[in-house]
Amino acid sequence: MTTITRKIQMVDLAGQYNKIKTEIDNAIASVIHSTAFINGPEVKAFQAELEKYLGVKHVIPCANGTDALQIAMMALGLKPGDEVITANFTFVATAEVIGLLGLTPVLVDVYPGTYTLNIDAVKKAITPKTKAIVPVHLFGQCAEMEELMKLAKEHNLYVIEDNAQAIGADYKYSNGTFTKAGTLGHFGTTSFFPSKNLGGYGDGGAFFTNDDALAKKARSITNHGSTVQYYHDDIGVNSRLDSIQAAILRVKLRYLDEYCAARQKAAAFYDKAFANHPKIKTPERSKQSTHVFHQYTLVFNNVDRNKLREHLTTKGIPAMIYYPVPLHLQKAYRDPRYKEGDFPVTEALCASVLSLPIHTELDDETQKFITDSVLEFVK
Ligand SMILES: *Cc1c(COP(=O)(O)O)cnc(C)c1O
């Protein structure tokens, strides 16, 4: 087995930066020289460029992906007591903002193959109090949006796509046409956290809509409920994307498709190495979406996943558990409506998943070392 001299990371942000160093450094310097730190021209330019890339009418930049979800829910006028259906298997932010706004999170299970919202479970969870559904495009591919939008229309519900992990993915309609992930629902949200597929060098977020009235409302809420300075029509928040982050993101947006392709290539390498292994399940691809591999997540059967992780750590290979605890078993989200065993797929996933390093700078030699090390443990 080969040895690797360079430190292996889940995400290699330094390697990625080195390739575009001059462009990034110039972008940052130009904002500093302009001193337009807040809502400067870079923010407006990034907004317009992301609108064009996504093919969506309105992009509203904000401070982070969690705020994007919260402001979208505020703009939809959701009120305390309203029920919002979302996936149990997700990063906590999705449910957190539902709770923060006094809305009732209604958790549903996911599909065992794609880890996205189970449509039948959503159907069963709809009550007269349901107002919205929040599908999560987990690990980089879309939930079954066409079915969800149809269901939402039948029941007069809003749909907010949590697209923090799938920016750049393409959703494929059943008629064969494509649209970008995050642009099908009433709102789509994303995060520019550094390790996300389109990551800044600090916090950042945005949300999108094709609806003019919703965009206007959301823009106002993002800016203290104000469209005319010092006049406040709504109780809003202060949530802005920094000009420096916008300038960095403008550079990185130009590389997003290349970054997605690099992640897909790395995923294909892993797929091949673990294909048909009786104890390892490689990530299933949705028929309705491309996969941009924010994470490459394996499911291990009859393997001590935690011991495997330790084995990898001793070899200098990081591996992460996304996510170790289902929402309904988290202290903050315990609810008498739910008990252990209620979400068999999510619970099984939390006990058996492990995500391997995936980023834009992986080479075959490093990946071979990683896959050999996994297979050395998982006989
Ligand atoms: C990262 C992430 C968020 C939150 O984004 P922040 O910018 O960290 O607030 C929300 N939902 C999902 C699924 C995420 O992965």
Side-chain angles (χ1 to χ4, degrees):
M1 195 184 289
T2 50
T3 46
I4 299 288
T5 44
R6 212 159 151 245
K7 192 168 178 287
I8 303 175
Q9 292 172 295
M10 285 302 286
V11 184
D12 181 4
L13 295 179
Q16 195 188 54
Y17 165 65
N18 284 332
K19 285 190 183 154
I20 53 170
K21 186 177 181 326
T22 313
E23 283 174 275
I24 294 280
D25 292 356
N26 289 343
I28 294 172
S30 94
V31 175
I32 296 172
H33 287 299
S34 77
T35 70
F37 296 116
I38 301 292
N39 285 335
E42 293 291 333
V43 177
K44 289 180 187 72
F46 172 62
Q47 177 191 313
E49 285 159 11
L50 190 57
E51 281 165 356
K52 185 156 177 262
Y53 176 84
L54 293 172
V56 73
K57 249 172 123 178
H58 305 280
V59 164
I60 301 153
C62 64
N64 56 67
T66 310
D67 276 8
L69 285 163
Q70 178 180 332
I71 301 163
M73 287 179 203
M74 290 170 77
L76 291 171
L78 304 185
K79 293 278 176 314
D82 288 349
E83 292 180 0
V84 179
I85 298 173
T86 194
N88 195 336
F89 191 54
T90 181
F91 178 59
V92 69
T94 326
E96 185 173 45
V97 295
I98 299 172
L100 264 180
L101 293 173
L103 314 172
T104 306
V106 174
L107 302 174
V108 301
D109 221 339
V110 295
Y111 292 121
T114 56
Y115 323 137
T116 59
L117 213 47
N118 181 313
I119 305 291
D120 286 325
V122 173
K123 268 185 205 161
K124 288 194 190 110
I126 294 173
T127 77
K129 286 188 178 167
T130 309
K131 288 284 151 51
I133 308 171
V134 186
V136 182
H137 300 332
L138 201 72
F139 301 151
Q141 66 184 344
C142 296
E144 296 186 351
M145 286 304 296
E146 248 171 319
E147 288 83 344
L148 265 182
M149 293 310 291
K150 197 167 142 244
L151 196 61
K153 201 164 179 196
E154 277 165 26
H155 295 267
N156 205 16
L157 308 174
Y158 292 118
V159 174
I160 303 167
E161 303 174 65
D162 183 343
N163 194 35
Q165 300 189 2
I167 192 148
D170 289 304
Y171 184 84
K172 186 179 175 196
Y173 283 104
S174 43
N175 69 8
T177 60
F178 289 90
T179 189
K180 284 287 176 198
T183 65
L184 289 91
H186 298 87
F187 278 114
T189 70
T190 202
S191 162
F192 305 124
F193 187 81
S195 63
K196 296 283 158 81
N197 288 27
L198 178 59
Y201 290 179
D203 274 310
F207 52 117
F208 342 118
T209 184
N210 281 308
D211 184 308
D212 296 340
L214 284 179
K216 189 162 176 246
K217 187 89 175 163
R219 254 182 226 294
S220 162
I221 292 172
T222 305
N223 179 34
H224 298 292
S226 169
T227 46
V228 178
Q229 202 175 20
Y230 305 123
Y231 291 80
H232 303 277
D233 300 334
D234 300 293
I235 295 183
V237 296
N238 171 24
S239 186
R240 293 185 285 241
L241 180 70
D242 271 9
S243 297
I244 287 183
Q245 297 308 328
I248 292 165
L249 290 165
R250 284 186 73 194
V251 174
K252 290 189 72 178
L253 180 58
R254 297 200 282 270
Y255 294 95
L256 180 57
D257 287 341
E258 216 176 278
Y259 291 161
C260 291
R263 286 170 177 274
Q264 286 162 345
K265 183 169 170 271
F269 187 104
Y270 285 142
D271 274 353
K272 204 169 159 212
F274 302 128
N276 305 317
H277 194 291
K279 293 181 178 175
I280 306 176
K281 195 158 91 54
T282 55
E284 190 178 307
R285 309 300 198 274
S286 159
K287 287 181 199 68
Q288 312 178 345
S289 172
T290 60
H291 200 322
V292 293
F293 287 98
H294 176 59
Q295 299 300 343
Y296 185 88
T297 304
L298 295 165
V299 174
F300 290 91
N301 300 309
N302 303 314
V303 174
D304 187 331
R305 182 255 330 245
N306 295 341
K307 283 236 167 68
L308 165 62
R309 191 181 180 204
E310 280 168 30
H311 167 78
L312 295 175
T313 306
T314 60
K315 307 202 106 197
I317 302 167
M320 296 291 285
I321 300 168
Y322 302 116
Y323 296 94
V325 183
L327 289 176
H328 72 292
L329 301 177
Q330 295 279 4
K331 236 192 217 166
Y333 296 89
R334 288 271 183 175
D335 187 302
R337 287 173 301 163
Y338 304 128
K339 59 180 189 314
E340 202 168 338
D342 282 353
F343 301 90
V345 177
T346 297
E347 289 172 34
L349 287 171
C350 289
S352 59
V353 287
L354 195 65
S355 300
L356 298 181
I358 189 147
H359 53 76
T360 56
E361 312 304 313
L362 278 170
D363 55 46
D364 286 0
E365 192 195 4
T366 307
Q367 283 200 279
K368 174 120 182 22
F369 178 68
I370 295 169
T371 55
D372 284 351
S373 302
V374 170
L375 293 169
E376 178 184 79
F377 186 89
V378 185
K379 294 257 162 50

